[in-house]
Amino acid sequence: MSTEPRANTIDSSNFRKLYIGGAWISPSTDNLVDVVSPVTEQIVFQVAAAKITDVDRAVAAAYEAFESGPWPRITPVERSKTLHAFAKALRSRAADFAIAWTESTGVVASMASMSPEYSIGAVDRSIEQASSFPFIEKHPSKNGANMLIHEPVGVVAAIAPWNAPLATMLTKIGPALVAGCTVIMKPAPQTPIEAYIIAECADAAGFPPGVVNLVTAGRDASDHLVRHPHVDKVSFTGSLTTGQRIASVCGDRIARVTLELGGKSAAILLDDYDLEKAAKSLAGAISVLSGQNCAALTRVIVSRSRHDELVKHLVTAMQALTIGDPYDPEIKLGPIAMKSQLEKIEDYIAKGIADGATLATGGKRPAHLQHGYYFEPTVFANVENSMAIAQEEIFGPVLCVIPYSDEDEAIRIANDSPFGLAGAVYTNDSTAAYRIARKMRTGTVGQSAPSASFAIAFGGFKKSGLGREGGIKGLLPYLETKTVMLSGEPDEL
Ligand code: NAD
């Protein structure tokens, strides 16, 4: 496999425009957003930078499409026909999505190539819900007709983070569109290319004008989008700090909001489970997106008597992760996506050492790689759960091993976190895994592996977010319920 950059294989003819009201239009300024490759440290893409006036235009288009257009008024099954065409168009661009992801974030190409099919599953599930979900529920009535009707919530701002730009955006707009909402996509400035390709696919699928819009805004224009009185719902995935700001803006104006935020998820290892097997699983899991993964199992909780042996196996498993060019099939760990993120990880390494944790392996940039934002997979041993490295999201390939004395203490440590996104219990005993899973205050728990399901539901307890994405739980936030009580049956529904 060639290890050359491939950004120039993607048609960039729309990248200096914005998609608003069913057309590619010029933004109000010539300002551009640079997308930097973490492999070459060079600019690989440039896209338009929307200003507040561009955001206003996008909201106006989405508002008009919602207030006066056909999309919210046709049935979900009719909407699903356009969503079918959309899914087909998305699949036809799978190779571009994969390249865009690797070029912008350095995610290894083998993973990037699997991501489009996985991510488009969100649209497939929405198509299926068009016919399976009871958008009009009949309720018992003595003489007339009582109904609970699920109607679209309105104009949706879909705001995505940089780490998984395709999956996060489709998980929002799939359910929003089948519900009958109109959407404004706002990707992260570091990874906007996927949203451009999504907009091109929406254009090809033939949504009515204004149903799907794209703006690429920085902080001020994004803030304006969230505050806009014609935005009915904000669906946000990103950091806790931004989520808190958005939640307070939405709280102020009683706008609907879904938040998918950070995590500091725990893996509890029970004494029956093989430590070498666990170490391999945990090292493989933290290599995904180089640890820049909200659901990463970053706190490894092991009984005190097995702590040192686990650390030994983890060091071996982490050192076996090959680091380098993400297009090389032998490579398991690509770079960190951005310089600022690399520096943030380095700050946490310094904090961990200063707080007294034992750096068992890693903790630095690899000596053999002169360019690129690479960082060695890292294990901290003898970590106390109160340390910053155990409480705060590092968002890098860093594992913290924390000892426990008994099962109750393991659960207490797992729950002693401001976050609650994911978790795992490593054991061969499903009864024990279930018992502990029920006590963990977190959104997903798996057995002996990292787990997540957007077919069932995904989201967090506590500061990991508000609401869920995926499954029926992920459709409901795009719907308002209206109770209608009639004294007779209407001629048609
Ligand atoms: P971020 O909060 O910096 O940015 C996320 C998005 O919000 C970007 O599009 C950004 O431009 C936009 N934004 C920034 N300020 C804004 C404002 N004031 N108003 C409106 N929008 C604003 O997050 P990030 O660094 O891009 O992403 C990493 C974070 O995302 C991590 O904390 C990670 O855990 C989290 N994440 C969570 C999930 C999940 O499902 N829970 C999934 C992926 C990532």
Side-chain angles (χ1 to χ4, degrees):
M1 191 190 283
S2 159
T3 58
E4 288 301 304
R6 298 165 190 190
N8 60 6
T9 63
I10 302 177
D11 178 1
S12 60
S13 49
N14 288 319
F15 290 179
R16 295 191 180 205
K17 299 179 190 152
L18 301 171
Y19 188 67
I20 294 179
W24 287 99
I25 62 158
S26 295
S28 59
T29 72
D30 292 337
N31 293 357
L32 294 174
V33 176
D34 295 335
V35 177
V36 174
S37 159
V39 176
T40 63
E41 305 184 25
Q42 305 294 317
I43 295 171
V44 272
F45 303 107
Q46 287 187 309
V47 301
K51 295 285 162 207
I52 283 174
T53 50
D54 302 310
V55 169
D56 283 338
R57 287 164 83 183
V59 176
Y63 181 72
E64 170 72 18
F66 189 79
E67 290 295 306
S68 319
W71 191 251
R73 284 154 202 95
I74 59 177
T75 65
V77 170
E78 285 171 311
R79 289 196 283 268
S80 72
K81 291 178 194 150
T82 312
L83 284 168
H84 261 296
F86 182 44
K88 195 169 164 211
L90 291 167
R91 286 198 161 84
S92 76
R93 302 291 301 276
D96 287 345
F97 282 124
I99 290 168
W101 202 19
T102 298
E103 292 291 310
S104 326
T105 67
V107 63
V108 289
S110 54
M111 175 161 183
S113 66
M114 290 187 301
S115 146
E117 191 51 39
Y118 172 81
S119 305
I120 297 164
V123 181
D124 296 341
R125 285 189 292 275
S126 298
I127 291 168
E128 193 275 322
Q129 287 172 343
S131 43
S132 65
F133 181 75
F135 284 87
I136 301 180
E137 287 173 38
K138 292 209 165 178
H139 283 252
S141 160
K142 279 207 178 118
N143 304 313
N146 288 349
M147 290 165 262
L148 183 68
I149 306 178
H150 298 272
E151 297 187 349
V153 72
V155 173
V156 172
I159 303 179
W162 52 261
N163 67 331
L166 178 63
T168 47
M169 191 58 87
L170 293 182
T171 303
K172 299 177 185 313
I173 69 170
L177 290 169
V178 82
C181 299
T182 60
V183 303
I184 299 146
M185 294 189 285
K186 212 303 289 172
Q190 301 89 342
T191 54
I193 302 306
E194 285 84 347
Y196 272 88
I197 304 173
I198 293 171
E200 288 172 351
C201 294
D203 195 57
F207 287 97
V211 171
V212 177
N213 305 276
L214 164 67
V215 291
T216 48
R219 190 150 300 208
D220 288 350
S222 301
D223 182 63
H224 183 72
L225 174 65
V226 170
R227 290 178 189 278
H228 202 295
H230 285 166
V231 170
D232 298 286
K233 166 154 183 96
V234 178
S235 179
F236 172 79
T237 301
S239 64
L240 171 61
T241 314
T242 311
Q244 284 168 323
R245 192 170 305 146
I246 289 176
S248 63
V249 170
C250 290
D252 198 39
R253 57 187 201 83
I254 318 290
R256 279 75 183 123
V257 64
T258 299
L259 302 173
E260 291 285 351
L261 309 176
K264 194 76 197 177
S265 300
I268 298 179
L269 273 56
L270 300 192
D271 283 346
D272 70 309
Y273 202 77
D274 183 74
L275 289 178
E276 188 179 358
K277 214 164 131 192
K280 283 186 178 158
S281 164
L282 291 161
I286 199 72
S287 74
V288 173
L289 310 188
S290 298
Q292 300 160 112
N293 164 12
C294 56
L297 299 171
T298 49
R299 289 185 300 143
V300 181
I301 304 176
V302 64
S303 60
R304 204 167 291 281
S305 60
R306 302 210 308 161
H307 171 277
D308 293 355
E309 198 191 339
L310 174 69
V311 171
K312 191 184 81 195
H313 288 299
L314 274 176
V315 168
T316 305
M318 295 287 262
Q319 288 179 350
L321 294 172
T322 45
I323 317 178
D325 188 325
Y327 285 117
D328 181 339
E330 298 301 317
I331 290 297
K332 295 278 179 275
L333 202 78
I336 302 304
M338 287 134 15
K339 190 162 181 244
S340 57
Q341 185 59 31
L342 175 66
E343 289 166 352
K344 181 179 154 199
I345 296 168
E346 289 175 327
D347 285 349
Y348 273 111
I349 301 300
K351 265 188 209 166
I353 294 169
D355 286 348
T358 310
L359 183 62
T361 187
K364 60 184 189 311
R365 303 181 193 200
H368 70 286
L369 293 163
Q370 303 302 315
H371 299 289
Y373 307 137
Y374 295 96
F375 196 77
E376 288 182 355
T378 300
V379 178
F380 272 118
N382 297 307
V383 175
E384 284 173 26
N385 198 52
S386 57
M387 292 177 183
I389 53 170
Q391 287 293 310
E392 297 169 22
E393 188 183 47
I394 299 176
F395 226 50
V398 182
L399 295 177
C400 294
V401 185
I402 307 169
Y404 69 78
S405 303
D406 58 24
E407 186 177 304
D408 284 346
E409 191 187 16
I411 296 165
R412 240 188 344 266
I413 293 169
N415 288 340
D416 177 17
S417 169
F419 296 108
L421 191 56
V425 186
Y426 280 73
T427 173
N428 298 308
D429 178 352
S430 296
T431 303
Y434 179 72
R435 178 180 70 240
I436 295 172
R438 292 302 304 269
K439 293 179 181 168
M440 288 173 80
R441 302 209 62 228
T442 193
T444 297
V445 184
Q447 184 177 352
S448 309
S451 306
S453 171
F454 284 91
I456 306 171
F458 183 79
F461 282 39
K462 300 187 270 181
K463 287 185 178 169
S464 286
L466 271 184
R468 293 292 179 271
E469 291 196 317
I472 296 296
K473 290 278 180 204
L475 171 64
L476 293 173
Y478 297 99
L479 296 165
E480 290 280 10
T481 50
K482 182 182 283 176
T483 304
V484 175
M485 307 177 78
L486 306 176
S487 50
E489 282 285 344
D491 286 346
E492 58 176 312
L493 288 178

